[in-house]
Amino acid sequence: MVRSPLTPQQRAAGQRLGAFLRECRGDRKPTEVAHAAGISPETLRKIETGRLATPSFTTVAALASVLGVALDDLARICLPEQDLPSTG
């Protein structure tokens, strides 16, 4: 199966996700976070830099758990602003 190229919106969402996860990691070493999440440090580096714009759900869930981030927060970051559900 050939994967379709990512859209500009998907790449932008991946960059937002990566930047947010990097911010959440804070001063923790990438190797520490990656191993705790069960992924390689290179995979974490690719996610944080936006080079891996669409990581698997299990990878995102593992990182969210290790970093103490709610999956709802990560979902909001990945949605384009016009697609955000209203809260009021």
Side-chain angles (χ1 to χ4, degrees), residues 26-86:
D27 293 335
R28 293 174 69 181
K29 294 180 181 180
T31 53
E32 173 191 334
V33 171
H35 291 303
I39 63 174
S40 72
E42 180 60 20
T43 296
L44 178 59
R45 193 171 7 266
K46 287 178 181 179
I47 293 168
E48 287 185 350
T49 60
R51 288 188 354 231
L52 180 55
T54 58
S56 73
F57 175 78
T58 55
T59 297
V60 173
L63 286 168
S65 177
V66 168
L67 296 172
V69 178
L71 286 174
D72 285 349
D73 293 340
L74 296 180
R76 278 196 255 334
I77 286 167
C78 292
L79 289 173
E81 285 190 29
Q82 69 271 13
D83 293 341
L84 291 176
S86 62

Side-chain angles (χ1 to χ4, degrees), residues 8-42:
Q9 293 83 5
Q10 288 171 316
R11 285 195 301 276
Q15 290 173 340
R16 288 191 306 273
L17 174 66
F20 183 75
L21 290 172
R22 171 61 189 96
E23 183 180 322
C24 290
R25 181 167 57 82
D27 293 335
R28 293 174 69 181
K29 294 180 181 180
T31 53
E32 173 191 334
V33 171
H35 291 303
I39 63 174
S40 72
E42 180 60 20

